[in-house]
Amino acid sequence: MATTLRTMISAISLACLALPAHAGNEWEPVRQGQGREDISTWVRSVDGMAVKAFKGVTEVHQTTLTVLALLADIPGLSNWVYQCQSGVQPDKYSADHTYARFKGIWPASDRDVLFRSTVTQQADGSVLVDSQQVEGYPPQDGFVRMPYLHNTFRLVPLKGQWTRVEFETQVDLGGLVPTWLANAVSTKAPLVTLEGLKAQVGQARYQIKSVQELPTYYHTGKLIDLPASHLQP
């Protein structure tokens, strides 16, 4: 497997956020959820990208604060993100940086990426966690560096301590990627990731009570302002 090192997780939004690279292409439904807790997924082709952009949407009976606590748990990414081996906040980088490794699907090699995350609250009250690949991390033996990743989670607080989770990703895996593998990633990743999120988010360690318990980069700029019902586990 070639290990050409170029440089990766997505812009979410059903209405007002989009990835410029594929702005003209239509989303193709892959799976239609049958209830509010079920998962719906879509893909769409992107010029020059082997892996289609993908997104998934579901609702969880958890506070938005609880879901944010899950997203902030970098070592815990391997418990629920599709094919994730590990996630760490690397030395000599600010806390908003994550170095992640992903298991390759035969015959592809394992992948890795350094990405930086920003957290902003939108005018409609939703919270956007936006992660984008950045350069600078030294090459690692046995891993093909992902040259591009843009990933977003958009969290919408709902009544009754429900949260709508909208997840979208565009990724360039780097190296050589067979067509069947690229298709497998785009169709499986949103479903497996959101299934994993739903399985993990109820754990006690994510039942925090204040936005101040989140990492400091979650507080950059205006402090996240959630409904009172979403500040109670």
Side-chain angles (χ1 to χ4, degrees):
M1 175 66 62
T3 57
T4 302
L5 294 175
R6 302 177 291 173
T7 19
M8 167 180 192
I9 290 179
S10 102
I12 225 175
S13 167
L14 299 179
C16 57
L17 298 172
L19 291 173
H22 56 230
N25 297 330
E26 297 294 328
W27 286 107
E28 306 167 20
V30 175
R31 185 180 193 273
Q32 182 59 54
Q34 300 303 307
R36 71 182 305 181
E37 293 186 89
D38 206 353
I39 299 168
S40 298
T41 63
W42 297 262
V43 297
R44 67 174 167 187
S45 60
V46 182
D47 292 343
M49 292 285 191
V51 180
K52 293 181 178 180
F54 53 84
K55 72 177 178 180
V57 176
T58 191
E59 293 181 6
V60 294
H61 198 190
Q62 297 287 342
T63 66
T64 298
L65 185 61
T66 298
V67 183
L68 285 170
L70 171 69
L71 298 182
D73 180 15
I74 302 305
L77 293 178
S78 60
N79 295 327
W80 60 278
V81 174
Y82 180 69
Q83 294 296 108
C84 185
Q85 281 185 342
S86 63
V88 298
Q89 193 278 305
D91 295 338
K92 300 181 181 179
Y93 289 88
S94 56
D96 56 357
H97 286 74
T98 298
Y99 170 69
R101 290 178 167 179
F102 296 86
K103 303 171 187 175
I105 301 173
W106 188 92
S109 300
D110 293 346
R111 261 60 177 175
D112 68 350
V113 66
L114 177 70
F115 60 86
R116 188 176 187 180
S117 299
T118 59
V119 183
T120 55
Q121 188 158 27
Q122 309 301 295
D124 63 0
S126 63
V127 180
L128 186 71
V129 181
D130 184 291
S131 302
Q132 299 192 50
Q133 168 269 334
V134 293
E135 300 182 18
Y137 200 78
Q140 303 293 300
D141 290 342
F143 290 86
V144 174
R145 182 61 44 86
M146 291 181 181
Y148 181 80
L149 179 139
H150 188 189
N151 179 84
T152 61
F153 282 91
R154 180 172 179 257
L155 309 180
V156 183
L158 303 174
K159 293 181 179 179
Q161 296 188 332
W162 285 81
T163 299
R164 179 179 175 89
V165 181
E166 302 172 1
F167 163 59
E168 185 177 334
T169 298
Q170 177 62 60
V171 61
D172 183 344
L173 296 174
L176 300 176
V177 181
T179 300
W180 67 265
L181 176 55
N183 291 335
V185 170
S186 60
T187 56
K188 290 183 179 180
L191 178 61
V192 172
T193 296
L194 289 179
E195 285 179 338
L197 180 149
K198 293 166 73 71
Q200 294 290 318
V201 72
Q203 295 193 36
R205 67 176 179 270
Y206 301 129
Q207 308 303 310
I208 64 175
K209 296 184 179 181
S210 168
V211 294
Q212 281 82 5
E213 296 181 60
L214 296 168
T216 55
Y217 69 90
Y218 276 59
H219 311 151
T220 303
K222 185 178 179 181
L223 195 66
I224 296 170
D225 183 19
L226 297 175
S229 62
H230 282 264
L231 297 175
Q232 300 296 327

